Structure formats: C-alpha cells, structure tokens
Amino acid sequence: MAIVKINPIKIEGRWNSGVALDLHTTSSTPIGYNEFGYMQFDTVRPEIAELLYRLKNRADKDAAGPIIETAVNFLTAHRDKFDSIVPVPPSHQRALQPVIVLTEGIGAALCIPVLSCITTTRPTTQLKNVTDSEERKKQVEGLYQVDATQTRGRRILLFDDLYRSGTTMNSITELLLDAGQATTVNAVTITKTRSNH
C-alpha cells in the first residue's frame, strides 16, 4: 500500500462536515523572473499535494494510485456517512481529468457508486482567477444543474481535488440538497489552499 502521510483540515460550508486531506502548499517563495517576465516560485508541497500536482499539471497517471489509496484509507472510517460520491465537474478541459480519475478510483475501492449527476449550463471560467467573493458567487449562479433521479434520498460525498474559497462546492451542495433532494451532503477534497484567493 502506498498510503502517504496527511494532515486533515476541516473545511466549513453548507455541507454536514467537510475535510481537506492536506494543504495545497506549505510555502511558496519568489525566486525571480524567468525569460518571459513571469515570477517563478520555489514551492514546497505536502506529499499528497505533490502527487496531485503531478497528476494535474503533468498528466502523471502513476500519481493517482497513492492519492486514491490515501483517500480510501481516510474515508473508510466515515463510510457509514455516505452511499454515493459526486464529483465536482472539472472547470476546464484536460486530456486527463484528475477529479474524475480520483473519484472513480475511490468509488471502485469503496464499492460506492459515482454519480455524474451535476452538469454545467454554460462554459465555466476558472474561479481561481476571480478574487472577489461576490463576483465568484455571480459566476456560479445558475451554472450547475442536477439530475435528481440519481440523487433523491441519497447520502452524498461531494468530492473535489482542491478547496480554495468553497464557492463552487457550496453552490453544488445547495443544489444537491434542494433540487437534488439528497438526504445529506458531506465534502472531501485532496488539498486546500492556504488562503481563499
């Protein structure tokens, strides 16, 4: 088993309970500009965050296994709180979608159905570039829709790879509980940023 050491952090939101398995970075020090005029950083990440970085930014499929095993190891103790997993839809196109790869791996290991029941009503912009919280809320208003036939009466674990401000996950949680008629929603992410911006 390739379980990595994690430092779970509580994440607050509309869900019953939520946890990020670790921080996204532990430090990020500016080290000067590159030849294109962009500031470069010496970034230190916890082990699971480094694996996530490899999966997301380098399409390194080998990094998915230890992330999935670590998440499954953590979630096994909370297995009675959910009966299905719902992934947050990816915000931009990648050949390899980390959220989907990880959700399917976790679902298979825990023998829990993965419900791809959340769809977007229009193309999404990446919220990480929007720092104003009111503007973030406007961006996600009416953005998601749910297939309630999949979620009605379910105890859902909402899954994303990264927690920043919680805007997207809160919006989807409300949708799952209201239009989706889910019984409960709990949330888990692999990492959490140190700030909400």
Side-chain angles (χ1 to χ4, degrees), residues 151-165:
T151 56
R152 190 173 294 119
R154 292 273 193 174
R155 291 174 298 127
I156 288 169
L157 179 68
L158 182 62
F159 177 84
D160 204 353
D161 57 355
L162 172 64
Y163 177 91
R164 188 179 307 272
S165 67

Side-chain angles (χ1 to χ4, degrees), residues 16-195:
N16 287 16
S17 66
V19 171
L21 298 185
D22 214 324
L23 285 171
H24 195 57
T25 59
T26 41
S27 70
S28 196
T29 312
I31 52 172
Y33 293 94
N34 68 7
E35 68 270 27
F36 305 109
Y38 293 108
M39 178 56 77
Q40 301 301 291
F41 295 88
D42 178 18
T43 302
V44 179
R45 299 180 185 87
E47 194 176 354
I48 200 159
E50 186 60 42
L51 289 164
L52 183 61
Y53 176 83
R54 282 173 36 203
L55 179 64
K56 281 181 89 150
N57 298 68
R58 304 217 175 106
D60 179 356
K61 284 188 182 149
D62 293 341
I67 298 173
I68 291 165
E69 285 184 43
T70 304
V72 167
N73 185 55
F74 175 81
L75 290 168
T76 300
H78 307 280
R79 180 62 192 80
D80 59 334
K81 291 183 184 157
F82 52 89
D83 58 26
S84 44
I85 303 180
V86 171
V88 168
S91 56
H92 77 238
Q93 291 306 309
R94 283 186 165 100
L96 176 83
Q97 289 292 6
V99 172
I100 305 305
V101 169
L102 296 173
T103 312
E104 286 174 353
I106 292 165
L110 291 172
C111 301
I112 292 177
V114 172
L115 311 177
S116 295
C117 58
I118 302 288
T119 51
T120 52
T121 57
R122 59 182 186 267
T124 59
T125 53
Q126 280 206 291
L127 283 183
K128 71 176 178 188
N129 303 323
V130 181
T131 52
D132 180 64
S133 64
E134 287 307 310
E135 184 55 36
R136 271 203 181 110
K137 283 181 188 141
K138 272 193 213 139
Q139 296 266 353
V140 298
E141 217 169 275
L143 176 60
Y144 300 104
Q145 57 192 13
V146 61
D147 175 0
T149 60
Q150 295 186 55
T151 56
R152 190 173 294 119
R154 292 273 193 174
R155 291 174 298 127
I156 288 169
L157 179 68
L158 182 62
F159 177 84
D160 204 353
D161 57 355
L162 172 64
Y163 177 91
R164 188 179 307 272
S165 67
T167 304
T168 299
M169 291 182 80
N170 275 310
S171 173
I172 292 173
T173 298
E174 284 177 9
L175 187 65
L176 287 166
L177 291 169
D178 297 342
Q181 297 173 20
T183 308
T184 57
V185 176
N186 288 289
V188 70
T189 68
I190 301 303
T191 62
K192 173 193 183 303
T193 58
R194 284 176 295 145
S195 76

